[in-house]
Amino acid sequence: EIDGWVREPSASKRALWIRGMAGRGKSTIAATVAHTWRFRASCAIFHFRRGQDVRNTRLVCALARQLGSSLVPEVRNAVLETVRENEDIGNQRLNEQFKTLLVASLGKLDQHPYPILIIVDALDECHNS
């Protein structure tokens, strides 16, 4: 079902939310999907960790770093160009990082033929301040 969702280019289904009780395998599913698609899509994954708030604030930069080393040149170049144009992005607020590194850079890709898969795991572990 997840593989079918990744392949489906429908704009109305751009997010897939997997939820369930703790210990039901959501993190295993997230890691398996990232592993399965790593050579067939531009794929980035971030796992939140409880009590690691400093690390968790690096969410967007970590995802962009992975996309910036994508095997798909169009994705890699779009992200790296945005980073070059915004060298101080790591010092910006998280919402600015998101708009710049992910929305703006990936928005440059028109009719991109390969899936871009961004996986955020354990969102319930992040500090919401």
Side-chain angles (χ1 to χ4, degrees):
E1 188 175 322
I2 293 172
D3 283 349
W5 171 80
V6 173
R7 286 185 189 99
E8 175 60 45
S10 172
S12 66
K13 297 181 180 179
R14 294 208 181 221
L16 175 66
W17 188 283
I18 298 174
R19 62 185 182 277
M21 300 290 291
R24 298 289 186 181
K26 297 178 300 297
S27 293
T28 301
I29 292 170
T32 300
V33 170
H35 178 77
T36 300
W37 281 92
R38 74 182 186 276
F39 296 119
R40 297 185 287 159
S42 294
C43 189
I45 186 168
F46 186 86
H47 299 276
F48 278 102
R49 301 285 186 244
R50 186 181 311 272
Q52 295 186 12
D53 295 339
V54 172
R55 178 189 176 281
N56 291 345
T57 61
R58 298 186 181 122
L59 162 71
V60 176
C61 288
L63 293 171
R65 184 179 315 109
Q66 292 172 61
L67 292 174
S69 60
S70 171
L71 296 176
V72 179
E74 296 88 350
V75 173
R76 180 179 60 241
N77 294 338
V79 172
L80 293 177
E81 179 183 322
T82 301
V83 170
R84 279 191 293 274
E85 293 169 354
N86 300 276
E87 291 180 3
D88 70 334
I89 195 66
N91 298 322
Q92 301 297 317
R93 296 177 58 96
L94 200 57
N95 63 333
E96 289 302 317
Q97 290 177 8
F98 179 78
K99 285 189 240 177
T100 303
L101 291 174
L102 298 180
V103 176
S105 64
L106 299 178
K108 296 175 186 176
L109 304 172
D110 188 35
Q111 301 298 323
H112 182 64
Y114 300 99
I116 299 171
L117 186 58
I118 298 174
I119 301 169
V120 179
D121 181 41
L123 193 56
D124 60 327
E125 301 288 334
C126 76
H127 185 66
N128 49 334
S129 60

